[in-house]
Amino acid sequence: MVQLAQVVQEEVDSNMTKPIIEINHLSKSYELGGETVHALQEVSLQINEGDFLSIIGPSGSGKSTFMNMLGCLDKPDTGEYLLDGKNVTTMKDHELAVIRNVKIGFIFQNFNLLNKYTALENVELPLVYRGISVKERRDTAIECLEMVGLGDRQYHLPTQLSGGQQQRVAIARALAGNPSVLLADEPTGALDSKTGKEVLKLLKELNEKGHIIILITHDLEVARKAKRVVRIQDGQLFENGGDWLEPAGIRQNGH
Amino acid sequence: MNLLESVKMAIKSIKSNKLRAFLTMLGIIIGISSVITLVAVGQGSSQSVTEEIGSLGTNLLTLSVTDTESVQLNLDQLEHFDDLSGISEVAPISSERVMAKKGDNSIQVSITGTTSPYLSIRDLSLSAGRFISDIENELRQKIVVLGSDTASTLFPNTNPIGENIQINGVSFKVVGVLESVGSSLGTSGDNVIIAPLSTTQRVTKNTTINTLYLSAENEEMINRAKFQVQGVMTTLFPNSSDSYAVSSQDDLMETMSSVTDTMTLMLGGIASISLLVGGIGVMNIMLVSVSERTKEIGIRKAIGANRKSILLQFLIEAVVLSMIGGLIGVVSGLGIAKLIGIFSSLSISFSPSVTILAFVFSFAIGIIFGVFPANKASKLNPIQALRQE
């Protein structure tokens, strides 16, 4: 039976685009003020190569928890998370660190750059932890900064850059490790709409270059830029198949 | 991530908060420099004492009589000592404070009544004239040899040889002047008058011999000679071993060095406590630094730093901090000790081993007091760390 399931799965794999991320029946709950919060309940999701996925949901819906799961920062209580075919849920801390370093690039709402480091040093940081030689990582970092259009801001500190520029440095940092997945948590949340649009455009370009983009947002306008939209509400995930404008429709079509 | 990278990172973060780093280091700097300075002063004084004792000659034995009532040595008994195989020379001493006078100049000095071997036993030399001879002792000649200070006090401008001085009202002829020996263990060796034992006993009206200086045949014989002297004393004065003591220079040196060693240890101990306090200061600041940089730790973890890299980062920061402090401490400690040596009469002796030890200790402090904060940092949950503002 198990064997059969495997064969079927393999057939499915060969027919479809290969799933990079495969999440099966993932659940997570935590204690908050003496109450158990079921942040994620039996969530399943497949993300394929070349996907540009946005995850929307109101605050408290569990989307931050889900993002932490996707980013290998947190471990689920039950369920399975396969990243590139490897089961992440059973990995040890130091293995997860490697995964975060190699497979995933984080882009945060508030940029999360190190303020005492220059733009270049910030971008280099993932490569420092990977143990890449000084010369090589410098070249890669410069390349990434140029890709986001900040080739001339290498030696600026984050405080000397505008919000949009800081976010682009953060994107460059996420790109430096050449990860397969870029995980963007409200990347436009702290930006005005014009720079926000620029950042989204940049993400779209990156998606066209082959990176998987996972965009977490509560802004429908932003989410609409993605190829796929999934919605999280009360710890449950719904995929709407494009008809995301009407929440009622999501419920009918999802799951 | 290699070690060099971590060190660079640590230096960068120390540089970004220079004042705090300096204040943190101050504890270590004060600790290390006080260890080095105090040990240098302690060892310097210990060394100068040892040198002084050593300069008296290492084959010198001293028999000091503490109770002159029960142990009354006389000249005839000295032959027993002279006959000992381990002993080459014996000089009896009878000393007393007297008033010496020449014209208007007068001085309170210690007169040492002795015999001719005294000069060689005590390793003294003459700057002018001659020493007292055995025949003069027998004939009770009223002659003296002056210490260099005594000579210059009584005869400020003239040559004392051949002149007469008054000691307790009796006239003595000066036949020689001793070379200056400097002060030793607090008593000046130059402020003396040496006269024949017989004459001295008559002038001071005191026939006791309170000290015997004996010189052993050679350095190797010194312990044997000591036992022989003790043996003779037991035969001559049974049951009064508490009234006299025989000591070699080694014994004296041992006593003195144990005193100065204790002092050095105490000074070093006090300084080590301040070093410990400095270490706690490092830990304190590192803990503050960890909680201040929680967000940074979260970011680093999110982009792929594992526990080990975070631990190493903070540990190296603590070590670099305390090692820079240690280095400054070593330099300033050596400098202060040098200044003390220049501007005071204290003698200074640098100990390379203590210097290296102090530096290594500062390294160890960095590790010991850095592990706890670093471990705390490495264990932070990245999600919570990222959430913190």
Side-chain angles (χ1 to χ4, degrees):
Chain A
M1 194 62 192
V2 176
Q3 267 180 342
L4 184 67
Q6 265 179 358
V7 170
V8 170
Q9 186 63 47
E10 273 163 24
E11 265 175 32
V12 169
D13 281 354
S14 58
N15 291 341
M16 289 173 58
T17 40
K18 202 176 131 212
I20 300 290
I21 290 176
E22 212 182 329
I23 289 167
N24 296 319
H25 308 294
L26 202 75
S27 292
K28 175 78 181 179
S29 57
Y30 52 89
E31 296 275 323
L32 195 69
E35 256 180 272
T36 308
V37 179
H38 297 283
L40 292 175
Q41 297 171 39
E42 297 274 322
V43 170
S44 296
L45 183 67
Q46 257 193 23
I47 300 173
N48 301 318
E49 220 164 313
D51 261 358
F52 188 169
L53 179 88
S54 58
I55 300 172
I56 57 167
S59 58
S61 60
K63 72 183 185 311
S64 293
T65 310
F66 191 53
M67 186 205 116
N68 290 336
M69 293 293 166
L70 285 172
C72 301
L73 287 168
D74 206 354
K75 284 183 182 179
D77 296 336
T78 57
E80 202 182 32
Y81 174 12
L82 298 176
L83 182 63
D84 255 352
K86 277 177 235 154
N87 193 351
V88 173
T89 44
T90 56
M91 282 188 181
K92 294 200 178 66
D93 267 358
H94 66 270
E95 291 170 313
L96 288 177
V98 173
I99 293 281
R100 286 197 295 269
N101 187 255
V102 178
K103 303 266 184 198
I104 297 162
F106 283 93
I107 300 161
F108 300 96
Q109 176 176 8
N110 42 11
F111 325 131
N112 280 347
L113 297 172
L114 298 184
N115 285 328
K116 282 164 189 169
Y117 285 48
T118 62
L120 188 62
E121 285 167 331
N122 264 294
V123 176
E124 272 183 43
L125 210 53
L127 302 175
V128 172
Y129 286 115
R130 206 183 283 185
I132 306 247
S133 74
V134 178
K135 169 116 186 41
E136 199 178 324
R137 68 173 191 241
R138 179 131 302 187
D139 292 346
T140 313
I142 290 171
E143 212 172 280
C144 292
L145 274 176
E146 276 163 0
M147 205 187 290
V148 298
L150 288 175
D152 55 341
R153 296 281 196 276
Q154 290 171 17
Y155 301 105
H156 285 60
L157 292 172
T159 45
Q160 297 164 328
L161 296 170
S162 72
Q165 287 170 331
Q166 287 188 49
Q167 191 58 297
R168 279 191 279 162
V169 173
I171 292 171
R173 178 178 68 186
L175 285 174
N178 196 26
S180 37
V181 181
L182 285 182
L183 203 55
D185 181 16
E186 302 268 12
T188 57
L191 303 174
D192 61 67
S193 58
K194 187 172 162 280
T195 42
K197 268 178 195 146
E198 281 170 22
V199 165
L200 284 176
K201 195 167 151 260
L202 185 60
L203 288 177
K204 201 160 189 167
E205 282 168 22
L206 292 171
N207 176 240
E208 277 155 17
K209 281 181 188 160
H211 294 278
I212 293 174
I213 313 276
I214 301 172
L215 187 67
I216 291 136
T217 182
H218 66 271
D219 186 344
L220 294 179
E221 282 298 314
V222 173
R224 193 206 287 224
K225 300 278 191 291
K227 294 181 195 162
R228 270 175 83 190
V229 178
V230 297
R231 181 183 174 87
I232 289 191
Q233 191 142 29
D234 300 328
Q236 282 169 311
L237 189 93
F238 309 96
E239 184 148 12
N240 66 355
D243 190 12
W244 47 271
L245 275 172
E246 294 160 273
I250 293 170
R251 288 228 176 77
Q252 282 164 12
N253 297 336
H255 235 30
Chain B
M1 181 139 121
N2 60 29
L3 208 64
L4 186 73
E5 213 67 62
S6 311
V7 173
K8 270 192 208 158
M9 229 179 241
I11 290 173
K12 194 178 181 71
S13 122
I14 289 168
K15 264 189 188 166
S16 71
N17 215 332
K18 289 197 191 78
L19 180 67
R20 178 198 281 184
F22 175 72
L23 290 176
T24 312
M25 280 190 264
L26 205 57
I28 304 274
I29 293 173
I30 292 171
I32 297 275
S33 56
S34 52
V35 165
I36 288 176
T37 311
L38 293 179
V39 169
V41 170
Q43 292 208 328
S45 60
S46 146
Q47 209 175 57
S48 68
V49 164
T50 319
E51 270 168 19
E52 275 173 24
I53 294 170
S55 73
L56 298 177
T58 42
N59 46 6
L60 180 69
L61 278 177
T62 310
L63 167 66
S64 29
V65 179
T66 46
D67 183 357
T68 45
E69 295 286 307
S70 54
V71 177
Q72 293 187 338
L73 281 167
N74 59 48
L75 276 177
D76 299 334
Q77 290 163 333
L78 295 189
E79 277 168 32
H80 295 291
F81 298 105
D82 240 341
D83 292 344
L84 293 170
S85 62
I87 298 294
S88 64
E89 284 178 307
V90 182
I93 305 290
S94 169
S95 65
E96 196 74 38
R97 302 284 303 173
V98 291
M99 193 69 156
K101 223 176 132 186
K102 171 67 192 176
D104 291 337
N105 301 319
S106 66
I107 184 175
Q108 268 278 345
V109 286
S110 141
I111 186 166
T112 303
T114 187
T115 54
S116 57
Y118 183 78
L119 190 71
S120 61
I121 290 178
R122 293 301 308 270
D123 207 15
L124 299 170
S125 53
L126 292 158
S127 66
R130 59 179 179 83
F131 202 65
I132 49 180
S133 64
D134 285 339
I135 191 86
E136 282 163 330
N137 190 28
E138 255 167 63
L139 294 176
R140 300 193 170 141
Q141 292 283 308
K142 295 199 185 70
I143 54 151
V144 286
V145 173
L146 301 181
S148 64
D149 278 0
T150 317
S152 60
T153 312
L154 294 178
F155 299 95
N157 300 312
T158 52
N159 182 4
I161 308 292
E163 299 285 332
N164 283 316
I165 61 166
Q166 308 283 320
I167 295 173
N168 286 2
V170 182
S171 180
F172 280 74
K173 189 175 153 202
V174 179
V175 295
V177 176
L178 291 171
E179 197 89 62
S180 170
V181 291
S183 64
S184 161
L185 305 177
T187 57
S188 169
D190 296 332
N191 208 2
V192 291
I193 290 178
I194 295 168
L197 181 68
S198 52
T199 333
T200 310
Q201 286 175 332
R202 181 170 285 186
V203 166
T204 59
K205 301 181 181 70
N206 183 354
T207 55
T208 56
I209 292 171
N210 40 29
T211 308
L212 273 190
Y213 284 120
L214 307 106
S215 105
E217 284 286 351
N218 54 48
E219 259 177 71
E220 285 79 48
M221 300 275 274
I222 191 99
N223 280 325
R224 213 176 115 200
K226 191 174 148 188
F227 285 123
Q228 288 175 339
V229 171
Q230 272 165 341
V232 171
M233 285 303 284
T234 316
T235 336
L236 289 176
F237 306 100
N239 301 325
S240 48
S241 61
D242 286 343
S243 307
Y244 61 87
V246 185
S247 58
S248 65
Q249 294 303 94
D250 273 352
D251 297 338
L252 195 56
M253 230 182 266
E254 241 167 62
T255 317
M256 286 314 295
S257 68
S258 87
V259 168
T260 50
D261 280 357
T262 310
M263 205 172 78
T264 308
L265 208 67
M266 221 170 68
L267 292 177
I270 291 168
S272 304
I273 290 170
S274 74
L275 205 51
L276 192 74
V277 174
I280 293 169
V282 170
M283 178 151 80
N284 199 357
I285 289 298
M286 288 313 292
L287 281 173
V288 171
S289 176
V290 168
S291 59
E292 247 183 23
R293 286 153 67 190
T294 304
K295 180 128 191 170
E296 178 192 327
I297 295 163
I299 297 169
R300 286 177 186 274
K301 283 200 161 181
I303 62 173
N306 52 24
R307 274 196 56 190
K308 206 182 111 203
S309 340
I310 300 287
L311 185 97
L312 215 60
Q313 183 193 343
F314 281 87
L315 191 60
I316 285 174
E317 213 171 298
V319 169
V320 168
L321 205 60
S322 51
M323 271 175 74
I324 294 173
L327 209 63
I328 299 174
V330 165
V331 171
S332 72
L334 294 179
I336 292 169
K338 192 108 195 159
L339 286 179
I340 289 176
I342 293 169
F343 291 111
S344 80
S345 60
L346 289 171
S347 54
I348 297 297
S349 158
F350 292 117
S351 156
S353 61
V354 167
T355 308
I356 292 167
L357 199 74
F359 187 63
V360 170
F361 201 58
S362 75
F363 176 79
I365 277 180
I367 299 235
I368 293 164
F369 292 100
V371 158
F372 176 61
N375 190 41
K376 201 179 154 191
S378 76
K379 275 187 179 160
L380 281 177
N381 179 338
I383 300 168
Q384 275 157 17
L386 273 173
R387 210 171 280 156
Q388 190 163 59
E389 279 312 311

